[in-house]
Structure formats: C-alpha cells, structure tokens
Amino acid sequence: MDMNKIIKNILFGIAFFSLTGCFSNLDLHPIDSDIPSTFFKDSAACAKVLVGCYDALSVPGGGLFDGSMNSQFVIWNVTDEMYNAAAGTGPKVYSYTSGYAPNATMYKNLYAAIQRCCQFLHYLPDAKIATETKLVMEGEAQFIRAFCYFNLVQNYGRVPLITEASSDVNNTSAKQVEEADIYDFVIREMEEAESKVFPITKFNFGGRINKSAIRGVLARVCLFNAGFPCYNTERYKDAYKWAKMVIDDPTHSLIPNFAEAFIPLIQDKYDIRENLWEIEAYCKSTSDGLKEYFPSLSTTLGTNCSKAVTNVSFMVNNTMKITKRMFSYYEQDTEALLGSYDERRNWAIAPFTNAPTKLDGAERLVLTYFGSHKDPDNDRLVYDRQINKFNRQYAKIWPAYQSNAGTNLCIVRYSDVLLMAAEALCQIHNGPTPEAIGYVNAVRKRAYGQMDGRKFIDHIELTNPGENYTVGEVCVEIVDATDNTSSVTCTTEEDKSPKAYRVGDVKGPLTIATAKLPEILGSDGKPDTKTTRPIESIVLLDRGHAYSATPKVIIRSLEGGKGPKGSGATAIAVMKDENPSYELSAEATGSKEAFLQTIMDERARELCFEGWRRLDLKRWHNLVEILQATRDDGRNAKGVNGAQLDYIMTPGNNVSDVHYYLPIPSGEIMLNPELKQNEGW
C-alpha cells in the first residue's frame, strides 16, 4: 500500500477543516503495533495510526489483499476460471486441512486488522482534534473493520465478533456468532461509515475509503446476505438501493475502453469513473526512501516472461493457466479465427506467449500467438493460455523485481455495480426488467467496443502487391491514428504461430494480420521459400480492439531478414459498416432462470481473475457443480493428456460440499475452546 499517498490524502482531508500544524517531518511509516493512548496527540499522529489500519489489509504475504500467490485472489480462487499447471496440494486443487498454514495466516491477519481498527476506535474519542476530522477517521476505521468481518463470514461462516480493543489478538474465549448476526453487524457498520466519510471527488483518488466505495461494497454484502447460506432475500432491495446510489452519481461511469480500466491500475494512476476503491501496491520511490515491494496480480496472475530487459520487458513467472470453460464464455470470431468481438477475451486471456528477443532489427517483447486458426480442434492451444488482465508489460516502474510490482488491487468497479444492480432487480421482481437488462447491455456495449462509436476492421484490402518479398519476412503494421500505437505482425500466413509486437501502450488486444504470398513450387515439387514474389493478400487473424478512426496499414520487409527486401506493397483497412450486436438475446432474458444464468456468465466474462468468482459461486450455491463441469470439459478435451490433464481435472475431482466454507484453523481451535469446527473439517 502506498503509505505516503494515503497519509498525504488523509492530511489533505484534515486541511479542509482548517487545522494547523507542521507535517513536513511526519514519519510516513504507519503505526502497526499496539497503540498507546498517548500517541493520539494531534491530527498528524492520528493519521499515522489510521494508515496502520489500511496497511493491515495488504501485509506482504499476509494472504489478504496483497496479490500474493497465497492470497484469496489467487490460490483460493481456482474455479472455472483457471487451474494450476503444476503438481501440488492446497486450495488450488481443493486438497488441504484445517492445519494448512496459509489458511491460518489469512484468518489471523483478518483479526489483526480488526484489532488495529478496534484500538483506533477506542482511543480516537480522546484525541484533541476537530470533531469533523474524528468523524471521517472513525468512518474509515469502522468500514475497514466491517470489511474484514465480511471476508471472515464469507469464507468461514460463524466466527467470533470482537468489537472492543484488546492487548491480545489471540482472544482465547470469544464465542462464535451466527452468520446472519455478523452480516447485520457488517451492514450496520458500513451504513454508519458511509454517512461519515468523504465523497470520492474530494481527492480524485481511489486509494482512500470513500462514499462510493462503501456503497459498492454494501451492494455486494447485501447480495451475499441474500444468497447461500442465509437467504435473507429482503437484502436484495438493499443491494439495489446501494448500487443505484453509485449508478446515479454522475462521477461514475464505464470507462469506454475495457483495457483502460486496468492500465491505470498497472501504472499507478487513477480513474475514479470506474475504479471506486483500490488497495494499493507500493513500489520503490526515490523521494522518501521507502522500499516496500508488494506481490501483485501482474505477477501471480500474469503471462510468463523469462527475463526483465530495461524498457523492453518485465519478468513474470507463475503456473496459473486458464480453462476451456472460461475461454468459451466469450464469443468466438468465426472469420478472424484468433479473435473475438468481445474485447475482454484477448485482453483478459493471453492469446500468446511472450519473451524478449531480437525481432525486426531490435530487442523487443515478442508475442508468439497460439496457432488455433491452423489447428482449431486442438484444445491444448486453449488450456496453455495464461492470464493477461493485469499485463505487467504495461508497467512503468524500474528496477523490475521478479515477484513484486506496483499494480493496485481494485476491490469494486462500476461495471460490477451495474451487474449487481441487475441481479438484485431480477430477484426483487422475480424476473428481468428493462432496467436490469439495460445494465447488463451497458456492460456488454463497452465489451464490444461500441460505447464511443468505435468500429472493428472488417478486412484489409491489398491495393498494390509490390514485389520481391520473401516468405516469412514480411511485416504488417496496423497503426492507431488516434495515438500512433501499433500492432506489428512479423510472420507470413504460412507460419502456424504468428509473431508480433506492440509499439506503445496499445489500448486493447492487438490486431494480427499476416501477408499471404503466392505459393511457388520448386523443380522437386516442394514449396520454394527462397524465390521472392509479390504479396497475394493480407489475412486478418485477429481484429484486435475496435478503432475510433480507420487505422493505417503499413507493409514492409522484416528488418534483419535473410532475404531481399521487397517494396511497393500497400493496403487499406476497411471498417465494418455495422458492428456485431452486443445486446442480450430474447432467450437470455426469457425467464428469471435464464436471466440469472446470463448474469452469472456475464460476471465471469467481466470480472474474471479479479478474485470474486469462488465467492460468487458460493452465494449461488453452485461451486461444486461448476467445478465438476470444468473437470468434465478437461476429460473431453482434444489434444490434452498426461500431467496437464491431471492438473485440469484434480480440482473438480477433489471439491465437495465441505468447500463452501474454509476450515477454522486448527491452531485457533486449540487456543480457544469456544470455537467449533465447520462441518466436514
């Protein structure tokens, strides 16, 4: 978490109340131990302690919201989205016990964060600071504490509810409280906090708790309370109420380009239109000397890259890969066979492997695309893909550390709020309503690149074939006229695995187009690859993202190639007159059941790899069913066998009803005789 930024924003908020004081020598490290009452001497000191509450959410390796492999966003979130392509035990294969150490760490650290908040709230009333300042700080601490309890009840069910400050985090006599009562506490605390904190517009900054963040999280809490196991269905009305407050706030809207909802997270920038609350990853700063490097989803859920090369590539090394079920949630382009009209697919799921190597005359990050256009029945070309949503290669932070990056963790996005509102409305009215359908279609409209009038390329028309081109050594560059970023494909149509690279921060999937050269046979009847020739056509393999203006097409010979350089070839991009429809079909909205299934699938498409899928499947009470169906997909897959098939199938083989809850850590039960283990553990 960016302590410097959080503290400065808290102090900025204090300044609104006309408080005076010198903060130039403020120690920017948070207080992270038991808090003496004497520390609450002024507003600056209180700010430090409050940041300690924020900091508790993302302790490196703490299993909470730091993006590490053991966090609930990675190994605890293996469902129909992804599988672990390596041997092992633990939650990634649903094989662990109540003694599993990362589970104990997560449980313990949630209570440690709660205790920090309890201590802060205990001592804050005696602080000699303005009443208005106290109110805002109190609301932030209340929300953090309630958010931790929300995570506890989601994962563990009945847990102790501790609201008083204690010198002992390991309370040995606290009794468990019923889930319904914990939800009531969480909602009550968050509602009170919402009335106290600043609106998000106060700072134009998503790292600090604000009214919009609390409203979005409250919608989620109410949906969970309405689902399994509490089934408090009256909460659907509350979920809609809180979601609608975010929707009606003119500050918030969908960012027109899906990729641009994530590029700011990767680059330590902010866009409060969509990203309502971010838990921050802090990287090296030359200004204050802090050196805190956080694991992030850019590394633990990224596309592997063998090494870091300054200004070329960042290193990524992990074993998570995507499932065919996740891939199949998206519409497949039936003409440009590497692509999808849904821009989310080839942004969230890498259609390539990448590595720094020399290509086209320079060291570049080369993307080698899976050749599914040549071998469409080979499911291995799907199961070999990795996650690309938090693409580290868009980062700007050097030096580059293997396991840590500065990608912030967004807890609630505006698109999530729209889908939550749609789900709540469907439940309230016992079926889809025009308003609910409109919210889902709004998310889909952005996904299909149509929020801001952009269009997809229909085909690329060769206007001059040129001459003297060599097989395998022709580059086709597609240049975005709005920002001069481009996609460069450097292999000809004969290649089964097209190689490409990006120039600049391309805002979406790359457009992949290869030159097709006429076949020439040698005297032996075999293809002659040495004789030069003109271009026959340009084959569009992936339309990439939609464009605001017709992109420029450049055809040239590969720099550093072995053959002669061709010249004279030209082509133009021909845009589609009409983009494909993004609107839901009549079948998708024909009944309550059909529409709820549509929302479940849309949440997978929109929110995949953001950490919520397992918990969504829990509240819908279909976790076991979905994991077993994902296993069966693997069993029926073509071209997948051996160890890889075992990795795909193992989660579905192991999952059972006991996994709707995590076990209370055995060490906690040994310390506290009042605790009762969850059923089956």
Side-chain angles (χ1 to χ4, degrees), residues 210-483:
N210 58 79
K211 288 187 183 296
S212 298
I214 295 178
R215 291 166 182 169
V217 172
L218 265 168
R220 183 180 294 156
V221 173
C222 292
L223 276 185
F224 272 87
N225 192 201
F228 173 84
C230 295
Y231 293 116
N232 183 1
T233 56
E234 285 298 309
R235 289 294 188 191
Y236 284 122
K237 296 177 183 177
D238 295 326
Y240 172 69
K241 177 187 77 172
W242 291 110
K244 192 67 164 61
M245 290 178 74
V246 176
I247 293 168
D248 288 343
D249 186 338
T251 303
H252 301 301
S253 62
L254 290 170
I255 297 171
N257 186 317
F258 181 73
E260 290 189 273
F262 300 94
I263 293 173
L265 296 175
I266 300 163
Q267 297 183 345
D268 199 24
K269 299 175 183 177
Y270 300 90
D271 194 326
I272 63 171
R273 287 177 295 173
E274 179 153 358
N275 297 337
L276 308 185
W277 180 33
E278 303 173 21
I279 293 180
E280 300 200 50
Y282 185 82
C283 276
K284 184 176 181 180
S285 168
T286 57
S287 62
D288 61 18
L290 295 178
K291 296 181 179 180
E292 299 182 19
Y293 304 103
F294 275 29
S296 81
L297 297 184
S298 286
T299 53
T300 53
L301 292 181
T303 302
N304 287 345
C305 182
S306 57
K307 62 181 178 179
V309 177
T310 302
N311 296 323
V312 174
S313 64
F314 290 89
M315 187 172 184
V316 177
N317 183 20
N318 73 83
T319 57
M320 306 307 293
K321 294 186 177 181
I322 68 104
T323 68
K324 183 180 179 181
R325 179 163 291 255
M326 184 67 244
F327 185 82
S328 299
Y329 280 127
Y330 298 100
E331 178 184 358
Q332 170 65 43
D333 191 327
T334 58
E335 296 173 336
L337 295 179
L338 293 184
S340 170
Y341 283 110
D342 190 331
E343 293 183 335
R344 296 173 297 189
R345 193 190 79 179
N346 281 6
W347 177 264
I349 299 171
F352 49 73
T353 60
N354 52 206
T357 189
K358 190 169 184 179
L359 179 68
D360 199 22
E363 186 84 1
R364 306 183 189 279
L365 180 67
V366 176
L367 316 180
T368 302
Y369 277 69
F370 292 101
S372 51
H373 62 304
K374 298 284 188 180
D375 194 4
D377 294 327
N378 186 354
D379 289 324
R380 183 166 186 171
L381 298 179
V382 172
Y383 281 108
D384 278 349
R385 301 181 190 217
Q386 291 192 285
I387 298 155
N388 195 55
K389 199 169 199 175
F390 312 95
N391 191 339
R392 192 182 187 188
Q393 308 309 328
Y394 280 74
K396 305 296 181 185
I397 301 170
W398 296 93
Y401 291 83
Q402 175 178 341
S403 301
N404 304 301
T407 302
N408 289 352
L409 193 67
C410 190
I411 299 299
V412 59
R413 292 197 289 118
Y414 183 75
S415 60
D416 189 358
V417 174
L418 290 174
L419 294 175
M420 289 191 289
E423 184 177 349
L425 281 170
C426 182
Q427 294 286 5
I428 293 166
H429 297 284
N430 202 34
T433 66
E435 182 183 357
I437 294 169
Y439 291 148
V440 179
N441 277 335
V443 173
R444 291 176 59 80
K445 184 175 183 179
R446 192 262 297 273
Y448 280 70
Q450 297 179 43
M451 271 191 67
D452 50 0
R454 292 181 293 139
K455 291 186 176 182
F456 285 100
I457 298 174
D458 182 75
H459 64 278
I460 296 177
E461 181 179 319
L462 187 68
T463 53
N464 188 329
E467 59 183 359
N468 295 328
Y469 291 96
T470 302
V471 171
E473 296 184 1
V474 182
C475 294
V476 179
E477 183 171 3
I478 311 297
V479 183
D480 190 330
T482 61
D483 59 9

Side-chain angles (χ1 to χ4, degrees), residues 32 37 85 108 142 165 169 292 317 363 410 432 459 465 499 551 562 566 591 611 635 646 664 677:
D32 57 3
S37 59
K108 178 181 178 181
Q142 280 182 289
V169 174
E292 299 182 19
N317 183 20
E363 186 84 1
C410 190
H459 64 278
K499 296 185 185 299
K562 297 179 181 179
S591 67
R635 179 182 288 130
D646 289 340
I664 305 296
Q677 185 57 274

